[in-house]
Amino acid sequence: MKTVISPSILSADFAILGEECAAMEKAGADELHIDVMDGHFVPNISYGAPIMKSLRKVNKMFFDTHLMISEPLRYAEDFAKAGANRITFHLECDDDPMEVIEKIRSLGVSPAIALKPKTPAEAVFKYIPYVDMVLVMTVEPGFGGQSFMADMMPKVAAVRKYADENGCEISVQVDGGIDKNTVGFAAAAGANNFVAGSALFRQDDYIKAVAELRAAADSQKPEE
């Protein structure tokens, strides 16, 4: 599958967010990863639909919206209206996963489901036929700048194997501690969508940072 580079705007300079995202688009990034935190599901608060709506006015990139919130069913429509192209919610949320998936689909948005590090791969298997992507967290969700959890790679491999064996053409995304030194491990395990924050937004040369991350992932991709 195509390698997708998804810069996490959580690491961007919020004083010039529009310019930061435009620069990532020019640098060749594929998506913008938008982390939404409610201070309840995770111990941090980030931003909500109004920020995304404002960003949508000045940016046409694919908005990969990661809801780290307790009630995605309640807020899915707000983020769809704000310009989300994909909405990822957590299996561990308070809502019924199938209800959330169906709601997101009904809004004309791509549904995806995420797993915290302690949640086993098997927990998501029954939902894989109904989503377009599975996100395997490679850090505990809630804060940027954490170290990559290499012990999540068997989970990535298990999700990819189940999807392939059951004819499900999904993307497998990893998020947390991804940089040019760790991305290869995730690619080798079967991930094709890579979220990176400081490894992209905290670099002097965005074009070089995106290219290096993509090259490091491509160098370890399994042959199809």
Side-chain angles (χ1 to χ4, degrees), residues 91 100 105 133 148 171 175:
L91 181 63
V100 182
R105 285 272 188 216
M133 187 180 78
F148 175 75
S171 288
D175 179 5

Side-chain angles (χ1 to χ4, degrees), residues 148-187:
F148 175 75
M149 298 173 69
D151 56 343
M152 293 297 105
M153 295 307 95
K155 186 189 296 189
V156 172
V159 170
R160 174 59 72 197
K161 180 180 179 183
Y162 182 90
D164 289 349
E165 290 181 347
N166 290 274
C168 303
E169 295 186 9
I170 65 164
S171 288
V172 178
Q173 185 178 70
V174 286
D175 179 5
I178 297 297
D179 59 27
K180 62 183 180 181
N181 298 312
T182 60
V183 70
F185 297 108

